[in-house]
Amino acid sequence: MQLDLLAIAAHPDDVELSCGGTLIKMAQRGYKTGILDLTAGEMGTRGTPQTRAKEAARAAKLLGVKWRETLGVPDSDVQPARQHKLRLAAVIRQLRPNTVILPYWEARHPDHYHASTLGYEACFFAGLKALPITGEAYRPFKILYSTVYAEVRPTFVVDITKQFEQRRKAILAFASQFRPAKGEPKSKVFLAIDRLEDEMAQLARHYGQMIGVKYGEPFLTKELMQVDDVMKLDVRSI
């Protein structure tokens, strides 16, 4: 299968939280979208890999993606090691996405910032003709970085107002993470997931407000954006 847009992240539910609304919107516009979870989330405090795989499948249907797989990198050990880059480069060659979404390269969780580096280097490696992997050499045209967790000014924000409720359903498909059973012992270790649902809604409102809509998802590109018609720029200045 050839994809238009591929989102790559460290754990199941990372994509839903960071760019789920954008994936829904692009699928609604007829683009073929996909998700590659680098790990099965087996080191998570809640849920089992089997449970999270079922939740990921349900979330994928809600997001409207055409393809979702797990690369099999060990959870808590995501890093740009050569074997991981070769496996991911082979997937890039197989799917040939025009656009790839990666996590921002700075984060609280080591797996997240290593996922960013691994993703970029694999996209580059996929274009090396002599690389000892299957498939024809290929590189995505555009790499976008989701900056929803980062304290940086994004390059642009996608209006996900109409997709927000569906995104919320996709996030809550991961019930083991966000709706744990009553009576489950509380962890003595701080769990960021305990506040993520509320935080993501607040951030979506914040970035939506920045562009004059209700909800938004922010992205950054390392390269400059090109504008052909300055009379058709969105977002009011004053």
Side-chain angles (χ1 to χ4, degrees), residues 30-211:
Y31 293 110
K32 290 183 179 179
T33 60
I35 298 171
L36 181 62
D37 302 310
L38 297 178
T39 80
E42 65 270 21
M43 294 297 292
T45 302
R46 296 174 181 160
T48 65
Q50 294 75 21
T51 297
R52 298 188 73 176
K54 293 177 181 178
E55 293 170 342
R58 286 195 292 269
K61 291 181 179 179
L62 291 166
L63 295 176
V65 301
K66 299 294 185 182
W67 183 93
R68 185 172 201 163
E69 294 289 346
T70 303
L71 190 63
V73 176
D75 193 5
S76 80
D77 195 29
V78 175
Q79 54 182 300
R82 183 169 179 81
Q83 68 268 27
H84 301 332
K85 287 188 282 190
L86 292 178
R87 290 174 64 191
L88 181 49
V91 174
I92 296 296
R93 286 187 177 185
Q94 172 197 347
L95 299 176
R96 307 180 77 80
N98 177 81
T99 303
V100 169
I101 298 177
L102 298 176
Y104 185 63
W105 53 85
E106 292 180 1
R108 171 181 174 270
H109 196 313
D111 278 357
H112 292 172
Y113 58 75
H114 285 311
S116 182
T117 303
L118 172 57
Y120 175 84
E121 293 186 5
C123 286
F124 185 89
F125 272 35
L128 299 177
K129 185 176 181 180
L131 202 68
I133 58 173
T134 59
E136 183 181 353
Y138 175 83
R139 285 192 186 123
F141 176 77
K142 182 67 69 174
I143 295 178
L144 309 178
Y145 294 90
S146 171
T147 62
V148 68
Y149 298 113
E151 295 183 2
V152 296
R153 187 173 182 83
T155 305
F156 64 90
V157 175
V158 176
D159 178 4
I160 62 161
T161 303
K162 293 181 180 179
Q163 294 76 29
F164 179 80
E165 184 56 32
Q166 188 74 356
R167 185 191 81 156
R168 179 176 176 274
K169 292 178 181 178
I171 292 171
L172 294 181
F174 291 90
S176 66
Q177 307 302 301
F178 301 104
R179 292 289 186 270
K182 292 182 179 180
E184 181 176 307
K186 289 188 176 181
S187 173
K188 295 181 180 180
V189 178
F190 167 73
L191 296 178
I193 56 176
D194 283 335
R195 65 185 192 192
L196 269 182
E197 183 191 346
D198 289 339
E199 282 190 354
M200 299 315 296
Q202 292 172 4
L203 287 168
R205 284 193 293 270
H206 168 71
Y207 285 109
Q209 186 177 43
M210 290 181 71
I211 61 169

